[in-house]
Amino acid sequence: MIRFKSGVTPFVIQQYYDALTTQGIPCVVRNQFISGAMGELPAQDLEQELWLINADDLVFAERVLTSLKEDNSAEAWVCNTCHEPQDAEFNLCWNCQSPKC
Ligand SMILES: [Zn+2]
């Protein structure tokens, strides 16, 4: 387990979580249900955190989040080289790095 993201709103954590799980990256949200303890714990302990189950996924996970910030109006596509399905926001194949065409 490795802590991946914190210090953002619960909405953003959820958005990241959805994006990573869509890409098949196992991850968990910590402190998801702790808001009931607000006022009893220091603020930093109330912050939601996104953790990756496998530290090896870190680079790919960062790439997924980077792609979230780009235009996602395009449609999903399939790599012409290796035939892996790609999410619309990627312009390079995640598997073989061939460009989208
Ligand atoms: Zn490919």
Side-chain angles (χ1 to χ4, degrees):
M1 291 266 284
I2 178 172
R3 191 170 69 179
F4 183 50
K5 293 290 173 190
S6 63
V8 295
T9 67
F11 174 79
V12 172
I13 289 282
Q14 189 62 46
Q15 195 178 27
Y16 289 171
Y17 175 83
D18 289 344
L20 296 186
T21 52
T22 298
Q23 293 296 325
I25 301 173
C27 56
V28 293
V29 177
R30 294 187 64 188
N31 299 344
Q32 194 168 11
F33 304 108
I34 208 171
S35 57
M38 197 94 62
E40 297 171 31
L41 293 169
Q44 63 268 24
D45 289 342
L46 299 172
E47 207 166 75
Q48 290 195 3
E49 299 174 340
L50 185 62
W51 288 66
L52 300 178
I53 305 296
N54 303 312
D56 289 347
D57 288 332
L58 186 59
V59 172
F60 185 39
E62 286 285 3
R63 190 178 156 188
V64 170
L65 296 201
T66 300
S67 73
L68 275 183
K69 296 165 191 159
E70 295 168 0
D71 178 24
N72 57 6
S73 62
E75 292 181 12
W77 54 287
V78 174
C79 177
N80 280 335
T81 305
C82 69
H83 307 293
E84 285 292 334
Q86 311 292 324
D87 277 359
E89 58 267 30
F90 295 122
N91 290 317
L92 289 176
C93 173
W94 62 266
N95 187 43
C96 70
Q97 278 74 52
S98 293
K100 182 181 182 178
C101 54

